[in-house]
Amino acid sequence: MQIREDLRNIAIIAHVDHGKTTLVDQLLKYSGTFRENEQVDERAMDSNDLEKERGITILAKNTAINYKDTRINILDTPGHADFGGEVERIMKMVDGVLLVVDAYEGCMPQTRFVLKKALEQKLTPVVVLNKIDRPNARPTEVIDEVLDLFIELGADDEQLEFPVVYASALNGTSSNEPDEQEETMEPIFSTILDNIPAPEDNSEDPLQFQVTLLDYNEYLGRVGIGRIFRGSIKVGQQVALMKKDGSVKTFRVTKLFGFIGLKRIEIKEAKAGDIIAIAGLEDINVGETVCPIDHQEAMPIPRIDEPTLQMT
Ligand code: GDP
């Protein structure tokens, strides 16, 4: 099997306030992907209100980090149980998870909720025990708690062997040992690269791309975000969209976007394993599959959350 050694797709999961945002910022900074004071373009988040009106939630965001010769896509996951479908779809796009746990607070309800989904999808976990700088941090106990939670949630033998990185995202330090913090994020990057499987490179097979999230752009209309599960795609290509109702629409790919840091950039082509955004068809929806016109094969429809009704 060929693999994309140059790529890793992971989801970052944590209870609120355990430090996801601080950690991702620190990884960006350390990798040099993101230059300080750089203008951050419009993100998928910006169109949130508009899509909410249409009953579509897009709360997840992708941060792409270039570390040495590898691109690491880090997908944020909503921790709230109302977005169970969205969490499941994000988990289908990745091969591993970075579980961030506060070294003082330990496992909390959202830790359990998202970890359960990740373990069910057979994803490879890496645990980051964050806030190790807190004076009352209790790393040994918290790691025991994490292990107990893995066992309780039905982790398999491989998942139970999870590697641990102790970190202070706040101070920009990390280490594979609890009491040897160094001012570097290197241990986090190397633990990700050494443990999380690289995507399969089946880019010679017929294209299959599934829309996991939607974005809306004034100029482009709806943009479908997802992972290319196999094959490759180019701007200008005529493709088929397999609709949820079983019908098929053909359309021309007008634009493709990849991610760098927090920004979305236009690209000309992409292949198996890549997480991209596709523009060209106004009528694109979550769960639908893009494939070649002469090789139509829909992926199973994932769970989609019903929008919460506002009672007035
Ligand atoms: P998120 O909700 O998981 O994205 O958490 P944030 O990254 O926003 O962090 C929540 C709070 O914890 C903020 O006040 C951070 O400054 C703080 N924080 C994050 N990482 C650390 C850390 O390593 N040590 C300490 N002491 N505080 C941290």
Side-chain angles (χ1 to χ4, degrees):
M1 182 175 96
Q2 296 267 90
I3 55 162
R4 296 277 315 267
E5 206 30 85
D6 62 336
L7 183 66
R8 296 292 188 285
N9 293 322
I10 60 175
I12 186 163
I13 63 181
H15 188 76
V16 63
D17 275 350
H18 282 197
K20 269 197 304 196
T21 313
T22 313
L23 182 66
V24 171
D25 283 351
Q26 202 63 253
L27 293 174
L28 273 169
K29 203 164 123 192
Y30 181 78
S31 69
T33 311
F34 179 71
R35 290 183 295 277
E36 269 174 85
N37 303 321
E38 197 173 49
Q39 187 72 37
V40 175
D41 278 2
E42 177 205 5
R43 302 194 60 171
M45 301 282 288
D46 297 340
S47 51
N48 221 0
D49 290 345
L50 213 157
E51 292 297 334
K52 242 189 243 154
E53 280 170 24
R54 298 181 177 204
I56 305 159
T57 52
I58 41 163
L59 298 175
K61 40 193 167 147
N62 179 19
T63 305
I65 299 183
N66 291 328
Y67 178 73
K68 295 187 174 162
D69 297 325
T70 311
R71 158 79 46 91
I72 305 171
N73 283 307
I74 303 184
L75 288 134
D76 191 10
T77 48
H80 201 278
D82 280 357
F83 303 109
E86 183 165 336
V87 173
E88 281 173 26
R89 298 200 306 277
I90 290 163
M91 300 288 178
K92 287 210 165 68
M93 282 205 285
V94 297
D95 304 295
V97 286
L98 208 56
L99 173 67
V100 182
V101 183
D102 185 317
Y104 167 68
E105 269 196 6
C107 300
M108 299 293 279
Q110 291 173 9
T111 317
R112 164 188 287 270
F113 169 71
V114 279
L115 179 63
K116 184 164 185 280
K117 303 256 179 220
L119 296 174
E120 281 167 3
Q121 295 284 333
K122 300 287 165 215
L123 298 175
T124 304
V126 166
V127 174
V128 176
L129 208 69
N130 191 35
K131 306 200 187 186
I132 198 79
D133 60 288
R134 287 182 73 165
N136 44 11
R138 40 186 194 99
T140 317
E141 270 171 65
V142 172
I143 285 302
D144 281 348
E145 282 175 33
V146 172
L147 182 61
D148 286 346
L149 185 61
F150 268 69
I151 294 167
E152 191 195 324
L153 297 177
D156 63 29
D157 290 350
E158 278 178 47
Q159 289 170 327
L160 286 176
E161 297 289 315
F162 58 85
V164 181
V165 192
Y166 301 85
S168 166
L170 188 68
N171 297 338
T173 66
S174 72
S175 166
N176 291 98
E177 303 298 329
D179 41 15
E180 290 172 19
Q181 288 295 297
E182 284 184 48
E183 259 185 57
T184 171
M185 290 283 108
E186 211 282 324
I188 298 184
F189 281 113
S190 50
T191 307
I192 291 172
L193 296 188
D194 293 348
N195 291 278
I196 310 282
E200 188 180 348
D201 185 357
N202 47 14
S203 44
E204 300 302 320
D205 291 350
L207 169 70
Q208 244 184 356
F209 166 91
Q210 188 167 44
V211 183
T212 300
L213 304 160
L214 279 184
D215 190 10
Y216 182 84
N217 177 298
E218 236 184 289
Y219 306 104
L220 302 169
R222 277 192 193 196
V223 176
I225 301 168
R227 171 168 167 163
I228 302 179
F229 285 91
R230 65 180 198 203
S232 61
I233 192 165
K234 279 195 176 78
V235 171
Q237 192 178 337
Q238 285 287 135
V239 289
L241 177 73
M242 321 260 324
K243 305 285 299 166
K244 275 183 295 191
D245 62 9
S247 66
V248 179
K249 287 195 172 170
T250 60
F251 75 104
R252 185 176 161 272
V253 177
T254 55
K255 279 191 198 298
L256 289 177
F257 299 93
F259 299 84
I260 290 187
L262 301 167
K263 295 204 284 188
R264 234 169 37 193
I265 47 146
E266 264 196 76
I267 51 175
K268 290 288 165 225
E269 58 192 338
K271 64 176 186 174
D274 288 329
I275 291 173
I276 57 158
I278 302 182
L281 193 70
E282 178 54 28
D283 194 23
I284 201 161
N285 277 298
V286 168
E288 297 175 344
T289 305
V290 175
C291 51
I293 292 169
D294 60 3
H295 196 111
Q296 296 179 5
E297 203 182 330
M299 295 187 63
I301 303 275
R303 183 155 84 87
I304 297 164
D305 306 299
E306 291 301 323
T308 315
L309 292 174
Q310 298 276 327
M311 303 300 275
T312 48

Short mmCIF file of all heavy atoms in Angstrom, two decimals, residues 15-22 130-131 133-134 167-170, ligand 1:
data_model
loop_
_atom_site.label_atom_id
_atom_site.label_comp_id
_atom_site.label_asym_id
_atom_site.label_seq_id
_atom_site.Cartn_x
_atom_site.Cartn_y
_atom_site.Cartn_z
N HIS A 15 -12.05 19.07 26.42
CA HIS A 15 -13.10 19.77 27.14
C HIS A 15 -12.81 21.27 26.99
O HIS A 15 -11.66 21.67 26.86
CB HIS A 15 -13.08 19.37 28.62
CG HIS A 15 -14.24 19.90 29.40
ND1 HIS A 15 -15.49 19.33 29.31
CD2 HIS A 15 -14.35 20.94 30.26
CE1 HIS A 15 -16.31 20.01 30.09
NE2 HIS A 15 -15.64 20.99 30.67
N VAL A 16 -13.87 22.07 27.02
CA VAL A 16 -13.70 23.52 26.86
C VAL A 16 -12.71 24.07 27.89
O VAL A 16 -12.69 23.62 29.04
CB VAL A 16 -15.07 24.23 26.93
CG1 VAL A 16 -15.73 24.05 28.29
CG2 VAL A 16 -14.95 25.71 26.60
N ASP A 17 -11.85 24.97 27.44
CA ASP A 17 -10.85 25.64 28.29
C ASP A 17 -9.62 24.79 28.65
O ASP A 17 -8.78 25.24 29.40
CB ASP A 17 -11.46 26.17 29.61
CG ASP A 17 -12.08 27.54 29.43
OD1 ASP A 17 -11.86 28.14 28.36
OD2 ASP A 17 -12.78 28.00 30.34
N HIS A 18 -9.52 23.59 28.13
CA HIS A 18 -8.34 22.79 28.44
C HIS A 18 -7.13 23.21 27.60
O HIS A 18 -6.02 22.74 27.84
CB HIS A 18 -8.64 21.30 28.33
CG HIS A 18 -9.38 20.79 29.54
ND1 HIS A 18 -9.48 19.47 29.86
CD2 HIS A 18 -10.06 21.47 30.52
CE1 HIS A 18 -10.19 19.33 30.99
NE2 HIS A 18 -10.56 20.54 31.39
N GLY A 19 -7.37 24.09 26.59
CA GLY A 19 -6.23 24.71 25.91
C GLY A 19 -6.02 24.40 24.44
O GLY A 19 -4.94 24.61 23.91
N LYS A 20 -7.09 23.93 23.75
CA LYS A 20 -6.98 23.62 22.32
C LYS A 20 -6.46 24.80 21.50
O LYS A 20 -5.54 24.67 20.71
CB LYS A 20 -8.39 23.30 21.77
CG LYS A 20 -8.77 21.87 21.81
CD LYS A 20 -9.95 21.55 20.91
CE LYS A 20 -11.20 22.36 21.17
NZ LYS A 20 -12.40 21.74 20.54
N THR A 21 -7.11 25.97 21.70
CA THR A 21 -6.78 27.14 20.88
C THR A 21 -5.35 27.59 21.14
O THR A 21 -4.59 27.85 20.20
CB THR A 21 -7.75 28.30 21.21
OG1 THR A 21 -9.07 27.77 21.21
CG2 THR A 21 -7.65 29.42 20.20
N THR A 22 -4.97 27.64 22.40
CA THR A 22 -3.61 28.07 22.76
C THR A 22 -2.59 27.09 22.17
O THR A 22 -1.55 27.50 21.65
CB THR A 22 -3.47 28.13 24.31
OG1 THR A 22 -4.59 28.83 24.84
CG2 THR A 22 -2.20 28.82 24.73
N ASN A 130 -1.92 18.99 29.09
CA ASN A 130 -1.61 20.42 29.01
C ASN A 130 -1.66 21.09 30.40
O ASN A 130 -2.15 20.50 31.35
CB ASN A 130 -2.61 21.08 28.05
CG ASN A 130 -2.21 22.50 27.70
OD1 ASN A 130 -1.03 22.82 27.58
ND2 ASN A 130 -3.20 23.37 27.54
N LYS A 131 -1.17 22.30 30.45
CA LYS A 131 -1.15 23.12 31.67
C LYS A 131 -0.29 22.48 32.76
O LYS A 131 -0.60 22.57 33.95
CB LYS A 131 -2.58 23.38 32.20
CG LYS A 131 -3.53 23.97 31.13
CD LYS A 131 -4.72 24.64 31.75
CE LYS A 131 -5.73 25.08 30.68
NZ LYS A 131 -6.83 25.86 31.21
N ASP A 133 2.32 23.48 33.72
CA ASP A 133 2.92 24.56 34.53
C ASP A 133 2.07 24.92 35.74
O ASP A 133 2.54 25.61 36.65
CB ASP A 133 3.07 25.81 33.65
CG ASP A 133 1.74 26.30 33.11
OD1 ASP A 133 1.15 25.66 32.21
OD2 ASP A 133 1.24 27.31 33.61
N ARG A 134 0.83 24.47 35.78
CA ARG A 134 -0.01 24.85 36.93
C ARG A 134 0.58 24.28 38.21
O ARG A 134 0.93 23.09 38.26
CB ARG A 134 -1.44 24.32 36.73
CG ARG A 134 -2.23 25.09 35.68
CD ARG A 134 -3.63 24.58 35.55
NE ARG A 134 -4.47 24.96 36.68
CZ ARG A 134 -5.81 24.88 36.67
NH1 ARG A 134 -6.45 24.44 35.60
NH2 ARG A 134 -6.49 25.24 37.72
N ALA A 167 2.73 19.14 28.40
CA ALA A 167 2.97 20.44 27.76
C ALA A 167 2.41 21.60 28.57
O ALA A 167 1.50 21.45 29.39
CB ALA A 167 2.35 20.45 26.37
N SER A 168 2.98 22.77 28.30
CA SER A 168 2.35 24.01 28.70
C SER A 168 2.19 24.81 27.41
O SER A 168 3.16 25.40 26.91
CB SER A 168 3.22 24.78 29.69
OG SER A 168 2.71 26.11 29.78
N ALA A 169 0.98 24.78 26.87
CA ALA A 169 0.73 25.54 25.64
C ALA A 169 0.95 27.02 25.91
O ALA A 169 1.42 27.76 25.05
CB ALA A 169 -0.70 25.28 25.15
N LEU A 170 0.63 27.42 27.12
CA LEU A 170 0.78 28.83 27.50
C LEU A 170 2.24 29.28 27.39
O LEU A 170 2.55 30.32 26.83
CB LEU A 170 0.28 29.04 28.93
CG LEU A 170 0.19 30.48 29.41
CD1 LEU A 170 -0.90 31.23 28.66
CD2 LEU A 170 -0.09 30.53 30.91
P1 GDP B 1 -9.93 26.00 24.55
O1 GDP B 1 -11.30 26.34 25.04
O2 GDP B 1 -9.65 24.54 24.71
O3 GDP B 1 -9.63 26.47 23.14
O4 GDP B 1 -8.91 26.72 25.57
P2 GDP B 1 -8.00 28.02 25.36
O5 GDP B 1 -6.82 27.72 24.52
O6 GDP B 1 -8.85 29.16 24.99
O7 GDP B 1 -7.45 28.18 26.86
C1 GDP B 1 -8.33 28.39 27.95
C2 GDP B 1 -7.59 29.13 29.06
O8 GDP B 1 -6.54 28.32 29.56
C3 GDP B 1 -6.95 30.43 28.60
O9 GDP B 1 -7.06 31.37 29.63
C4 GDP B 1 -5.50 30.03 28.38
O10 GDP B 1 -4.60 31.11 28.54
C5 GDP B 1 -5.30 29.01 29.46
N1 GDP B 1 -4.24 28.05 29.10
C6 GDP B 1 -4.09 27.40 27.93
N2 GDP B 1 -3.00 26.62 27.96
C7 GDP B 1 -2.46 26.77 29.19
C8 GDP B 1 -1.29 26.22 29.85
O11 GDP B 1 -0.54 25.43 29.30
N3 GDP B 1 -1.08 26.61 31.14
C9 GDP B 1 -1.89 27.49 31.79
N4 GDP B 1 -1.58 27.79 33.05
N5 GDP B 1 -2.97 28.02 31.21
C10 GDP B 1 -3.25 27.69 29.94
#
